[in-house]
Amino acid sequence: MNLLNLEILIPILGCLLYIVIGGIAMWKRGPRPTLLLWLLTYLGISFAWSAIQVVANFEPAILPREQMLQLSTQYGILATSILFLHLSLLIFRPKAKLWLLWLFGILWAGLVMIFSHNLLDLSATFQSTIAGQIEEQELTRTVLLLGWGFLVFTVAWLLANSFQKPIHPIIKNKAYYWTFALFFVVVSDGLYFGDFQSPAIVFRVIAVLLVSGVCIYHHMPEIRRVEREALTYLVSTILTAILLLIGIFILPSFLEKLAGYNPTLAGAVVTLLLAAVLTPIWVLAQRIVNRLLPTTRYDPNRILREYSQNISNILDPNLLATVAIGLVNEALEITHGHLFLVELETEENLTFYRLRSVKGMAEEKPAYGTLGEESPITEFFINERNPLRNSDLDLLPRFQSVPPEERTWLEHLKADLYVPIFTKDEWIGLISLGAKVSGQPYFNSDLTLISTLADQTAVALQNARLVESLMRLNNDFRRAYAAMEQANRHLKQANTQLEILDRTKSDFISIASHELRTPLTVMRGYTEMLMDEHEITQNSYHQKLVDGIHAGTIRLHEIVDSMLDMASIDTHTLELQMESISLFTLIRLVGDHFREDFSQRNLTFEIEDFSELLPIEGDPEALRKVFHHLIVNAIKYTPDGGKIIVAGSSVPPGYYELQEGGIEITIRDTGIGINPEFLESIFTKFYQTGELAFHSTGKTKFKGAGPGLGLAIARGIIQLHRGKIWAESPGYDEVKLPGSTFHVVFPVYREE
Ligand code: ADP
């Protein structure tokens, strides 16, 4: 078998090429591992297909050559068209349900197999029903063609869909390449169907090259540039060929007629001539191509309409950048572009504009830059609000004083044009645009269009910026809230600990005072018995001793009682026996109890008559304690010769938060007063103002000692009666004696 036979050579070359492409794919890896895997499968199948075409030509073959070629074509088309759609979906519809495709593929392959190998022995049935008109082979072909048609149509539909939507320019570029690939696939498969094996392989190889390029390289060269360059080469080659032909065939016949003709010299002349015209030919070719494929093909109205439709509702700066730059790209075919958010900032007394780039379609985000408030560039943008060409920046004298760091930053953007974006009175954004793909400069009409687009972008950009700052604020709030929650949790923990401590203390006081009470009662009983003893009453010295013991025991008893009262309030175990009470009578009785103390201390005790006031509902024993403590305090903190006045009045409904009204009692003294700072804290248990050491010992002596529980017990009991207690005093002064007033209010008693 002659290896130089084209029918063998072409598939061999195909196989080699597939191996090379596979190697490149493995080496480059490409952006997505799944895509790479499927591409390798695609290459593998294509390789096997071509390999069978080579093997079919050698003896001894497993099957006859024709049959082998037919089968390879059949399964080759089947597998590659499913894989082609699979790859298309991976690239253009990553979220598509691929299993549906494979389900279709399996069914289709099943049908092809059934008919092609006559698995169900259908031929007889078919021949009898359709009278032998359809042969098995034709049936296989029809099923194959139908399935293939469906898959190819789906790819075409996918591509058409991609072109209609504003998609990422990189994807759009890929779609262009894919369209070419689809074209070559269709032609190649068509040739296979028509049994033109060798040309089919040539087309297939081109298709596979395109498919692999799109899968492997994220950035394919801009297709329109490729198109343009290929066409320029073609045109210039044709022109050069024409000239060459003229040089070779026509010129010698003229030159021969000249005397002293020398073929070598003539050849040299022709070569020189050709070399001289090569560059003009290239330029001419470019011109022709520019005429054939004009670059400014855009319709400004359509672009503007599309731009405003696409951009107005976008709130994500990234998407905004992608769409804005993408649409500019579509109109002007630029190499690259970036969108920047511009913000006025002040740092260390320097005001400048910070330009932060948005990722958008760019592969890499340029670093942020700053432009001084007084930089010539800033002044140009703010005053003129016009696009700025990079060439102007380099040439015009007004930009000579641009600081080098600003220049370096702008240079690293590699832009040809800078377009500022303004709201009514604020500079908020900048679009930087790279060179045009065609290499042409930005024309004035382009600048007008871009300026209008920039104006359109302003509103969307402003909104996007607002949303961004709102999101930032929201995040700050969330963080602050989380910190607050944490602090709250700590506080709650501390509070629980304190509560536990307090309860332990109350429990201790309660237990201790219970334990103290019994021996105290015994001591009190015995001292009282002693006091009545004849021997004691006879001896004044002994009597004085026993009286002292008795007074101490009673005082101790009272203190222990106070501690017990406090503990029962704290532990919510104080039980009240409620009845209707006249406060006037109750207070008079309490006052009577201190008659001796008043005269000893030369104090005037007055109760204004408020006997006609309504009764309240309360526990007489508990309320007695309240007024006992208040009057004891008034006695204690009023120097000898002072005055204590108790008054009562009715409270109208709604006052002091008493819905149905109530009764207010005031106990006023002419004592040392209370520092306003402590008016509230004196109601805390164990709280005492001033130095403890200065307290004298007697209960009703001036500044007499006490455990610091009286007011806390009073408030506890009053609150259980749904009443209130508070103190008023102009201040603390032991010389001027401003006095204090204690107010107590209770709700009135209403008999149901
Ligand atoms: P105690 O009297 O046992 O110290 P209280 O709870 O009765 O405890 O009073 C707490 C503090 O309130 C007292 O130490 C005192 O400083 C202040 N106080 C109470 N009543 C008066 C009053 N009528 N005049 C001046 N200060 C008073």
Side-chain angles (χ1 to χ4, degrees):
M1 183 63 54
N2 185 2
L3 266 185
L4 287 179
N5 180 346
L6 272 187
E7 284 193 353
I8 300 177
L9 199 64
I10 291 178
I12 288 183
L13 287 177
C15 282
L16 288 177
L17 215 83
Y18 295 145
I19 292 175
V20 172
I21 300 174
I24 295 176
M26 302 268 278
W27 174 51
K28 284 269 176 195
R29 307 224 132 241
R32 283 156 62 188
T34 26
L35 194 62
L36 176 73
L37 212 73
W38 286 105
L39 175 68
L40 288 178
T41 320
Y42 188 67
L43 285 170
I45 301 268
S46 307
F47 175 85
W49 188 358
S50 297
I52 292 174
Q53 273 173 281
V54 179
V55 174
N57 289 298
F58 290 95
E59 299 287 345
I62 320 158
L63 290 169
R65 181 174 181 275
E66 291 312 313
Q67 203 179 341
M68 210 155 158
L69 287 181
Q70 188 211 326
L71 280 181
S72 73
T73 302
Q74 182 175 309
Y75 289 110
I77 287 182
L78 218 155
T80 51
S81 44
I82 294 176
L83 282 168
F84 186 53
L85 180 55
H86 188 109
L87 287 171
S88 314
L89 286 171
L90 280 180
I91 292 174
F92 301 104
R93 282 287 165 87
K95 285 178 198 148
K97 292 184 183 111
L98 291 165
W99 61 267
L100 265 176
L101 166 67
W102 285 98
L103 190 72
F104 168 83
I106 291 167
L107 283 176
W108 181 38
L111 274 181
V112 170
M113 271 188 200
I114 288 169
F115 292 126
S116 133
H117 304 287
N118 196 13
L119 294 181
L120 299 182
D121 199 14
L122 291 171
S123 58
T125 337
F126 270 88
Q127 270 171 10
S128 63
T129 45
I130 316 175
Q133 281 177 356
I134 297 178
E135 287 178 24
E136 290 164 47
Q137 216 180 4
E138 264 180 48
L139 201 63
T140 315
R141 230 164 226 276
T142 317
V143 172
L144 197 63
L145 210 69
L146 280 179
W148 175 86
F150 173 73
L151 292 182
V152 165
F153 175 80
T154 314
V155 177
W157 176 79
L158 255 181
L159 286 172
N161 232 312
S162 308
F163 286 123
Q164 273 164 12
K165 281 188 296 187
I167 49 166
H168 202 294
I170 291 179
I171 308 276
K172 192 160 259 184
N173 195 30
K174 286 188 172 194
Y176 282 120
Y177 278 97
W178 211 257
T179 312
F180 281 110
L182 176 68
F183 168 76
F184 285 104
V185 163
V186 171
V187 175
S188 153
D189 288 351
L191 289 169
Y192 274 121
F193 277 122
D195 264 345
F196 301 105
Q197 303 274 343
S198 300
I201 291 196
V202 177
F203 280 89
R204 173 141 297 273
V205 165
I206 299 174
V208 173
L209 269 175
L210 286 166
V211 165
S212 311
V214 175
C215 292
I216 299 170
Y217 297 100
H218 185 54
H219 270 281
M220 292 288 279
E222 246 270 313
I223 191 128
R224 285 184 233 179
R225 188 158 36 161
V226 175
E227 220 175 67
R228 191 175 292 279
E229 273 168 17
L231 209 64
T232 314
Y233 269 112
L234 193 73
V235 173
S236 70
T237 312
I238 293 172
L239 289 177
T240 321
I242 294 172
L243 272 183
L244 260 180
L245 287 176
I246 295 175
I248 293 169
F249 294 109
I250 304 173
L251 262 187
S253 56
F254 279 115
L255 292 174
E256 265 167 7
K257 290 179 187 135
L258 293 177
Y261 167 71
N262 180 340
T264 324
L265 201 68
V269 171
V270 170
T271 317
L272 252 174
L273 274 176
L274 261 181
V277 293
L278 263 185
T279 318
I281 286 181
W282 181 254
V283 174
L284 183 68
Q286 269 182 333
R287 283 236 179 105
I288 295 174
V289 170
N290 271 346
R291 179 97 19 110
L292 287 175
L293 303 172
T295 39
T296 44
R297 276 174 302 186
Y298 64 85
D299 164 12
N301 286 334
R302 185 186 65 84
I303 295 291
L304 270 175
R305 206 173 40 245
E306 258 184 38
Y307 198 83
S308 56
Q309 273 171 3
N310 280 316
I311 228 161
S312 53
N313 292 327
I314 298 177
L315 289 177
D316 169 24
N318 262 317
L319 191 61
L320 184 68
T322 308
V323 174
I325 305 287
L327 286 169
V328 173
N329 181 45
E330 204 161 294
L332 299 174
E333 293 172 37
I334 52 166
T335 44
H336 60 271
H338 297 288
L339 175 73
F340 295 87
L341 301 180
V342 178
E343 261 153 313
L344 191 62
E345 287 184 17
T346 312
E347 238 171 53
E348 293 165 5
N349 289 339
L350 267 177
T351 313
F352 55 87
Y353 285 93
R354 189 188 291 278
L355 289 85
R356 280 186 301 127
S357 83
V358 180
K359 179 96 175 53
M361 68 187 243
E363 222 185 329
E364 258 178 58
K365 203 157 90 149
Y368 76 81
T370 53
L371 291 178
E373 202 187 15
E374 274 152 28
S375 152
I377 306 176
T378 312
E379 276 173 4
F380 172 85
F381 284 146
I382 302 237
N383 296 333
E384 323 229 338
R385 297 196 170 192
N386 271 336
L388 172 65
R389 285 191 170 95
N390 202 43
S391 50
D392 288 351
L393 200 59
D394 290 336
L395 299 175
L396 294 186
R398 69 183 287 185
F399 295 117
Q400 252 165 19
S401 58
V402 170
E405 65 276 5
E406 291 184 5
R407 220 175 255 284
T408 323
W409 181 72
L410 289 173
E411 267 163 23
H412 111 283
L413 299 179
K414 295 195 182 69
D416 269 15
L417 192 70
Y418 307 98
V419 192
I421 301 173
F422 278 90
T423 57
K424 213 167 130 225
D425 40 28
E426 203 188 348
W427 180 25
I428 57 165
L430 182 82
I431 295 177
S432 75
L433 300 174
K436 283 195 197 172
V437 173
S438 62
Q440 286 174 333
Y442 284 96
F443 303 113
N444 282 341
S445 59
D446 297 337
L447 296 199
T448 320
L449 175 75
I450 296 174
S451 294
T452 323
L453 296 185
D455 288 345
Q456 300 250 353
T457 319
V459 179
L461 191 63
Q462 179 80 325
N463 288 344
R465 264 175 28 143
L466 275 177
V467 169
E468 201 192 42
S469 53
L470 265 181
M471 303 242 271
R472 227 179 301 150
L473 207 68
N474 196 16
N475 278 343
D476 288 350
F477 268 136
R478 224 177 267 166
R479 264 195 296 277
Y481 187 75
M484 219 171 71
E485 287 234 299
Q486 171 121 7
N488 249 350
R489 264 200 301 279
H490 285 313
L491 269 180
K492 243 184 222 163
Q493 273 170 2
N495 215 12
T496 329
Q497 293 262 302
L498 277 179
E499 266 173 20
I500 293 172
L501 267 179
D502 194 53
R503 215 175 306 136
T504 323
K505 201 170 68 186
S506 301
D507 288 349
F508 169 74
I509 292 172
S510 162
I511 293 165
S513 27
H514 263 297
E515 293 303 318
L516 286 173
R517 220 167 178 253
T518 327
L520 268 177
T521 316
V522 176
M523 278 166 71
R524 189 175 163 180
Y526 284 142
T527 23
E528 273 165 12
M529 278 163 71
L530 269 181
M531 282 165 85
D532 293 340
E533 273 307 310
H534 182 67
E535 281 167 33
I536 302 291
T537 45
Q538 289 305 304
N539 186 326
S540 64
Y541 176 64
H542 284 171
Q543 192 167 20
K544 201 177 157 205
L545 289 184
V546 174
D547 279 352
I549 295 173
H550 185 242
T553 323
I554 288 186
R555 180 81 190 108
L556 250 179
H557 216 282
E558 277 175 357
I559 292 174
V560 168
D561 277 351
S562 285
M563 284 163 73
L564 262 178
D565 286 344
M566 196 68 248
S568 59
I569 288 170
D570 279 347
T571 51
H572 307 290
T573 48
L574 182 67
E575 278 179 21
L576 298 178
Q577 306 295 327
M578 301 300 247
E579 54 188 75
S580 166
I581 296 173
S582 154
L583 283 178
F584 179 72
T585 320
L586 185 127
I587 294 173
R588 217 177 40 189
L589 280 175
V590 178
D592 284 350
H593 181 77
F594 292 106
R595 195 167 296 152
E596 221 169 285
D597 302 291
F598 293 138
S599 65
Q600 256 178 27
R601 298 270 322 277
N602 193 19
L603 293 170
T604 318
F605 180 72
E606 262 180 44
I607 307 184
E608 289 173 6
D609 187 4
F610 53 88
S611 52
E612 79 285 358
L613 289 183
L614 286 171
I616 67 153
E617 190 187 28
D619 179 314
E621 182 48 28
L623 290 180
R624 193 194 58 73
K625 282 180 186 163
V626 169
F627 291 104
H628 174 92
H629 288 301
L630 289 176
I631 292 171
V632 165
N633 277 351
I635 298 172
K636 270 200 307 196
Y637 299 105
T638 306
D640 294 4
K643 212 171 178 186
I644 299 163
I645 303 156
V646 180
S649 58
S650 67
V651 179
Y655 280 75
Y656 302 132
E657 293 169 29
L658 298 173
Q659 301 284 311
E660 299 185 26
I663 286 178
E664 177 176 7
I665 308 290
T666 53
I667 298 122
R668 188 152 49 88
D669 61 47
T670 56
I672 56 175
I674 306 164
N675 188 334
E677 215 181 301
F678 305 126
L679 283 176
E680 195 43 45
S681 33
I682 51 173
F683 292 97
T684 324
K685 58 188 166 186
F686 305 116
Y687 187 89
Q688 290 174 323
T689 61
E691 291 279 339
L692 272 180
F694 294 139
H695 286 294
S696 60
T697 42
K699 176 181 127 186
T700 48
K701 299 248 175 69
F702 179 51
K703 300 210 281 177
L709 288 175
L711 289 180
I713 294 172
R715 178 169 267 185
I717 293 173
I718 290 168
Q719 280 174 345
L720 284 174
H721 283 81
R722 291 183 290 124
K724 274 196 184 106
I725 177 169
W726 70 97
E728 279 172 4
S729 172
Y732 171 82
D733 195 326
E734 289 198 22
V735 182
K736 288 190 187 154
L737 305 173
S740 333
T741 309
F742 282 78
H743 297 255
V744 185
V745 291
F746 293 104
V748 282
Y749 174 65
R750 294 228 179 278
E751 222 159 344
E752 298 288 310

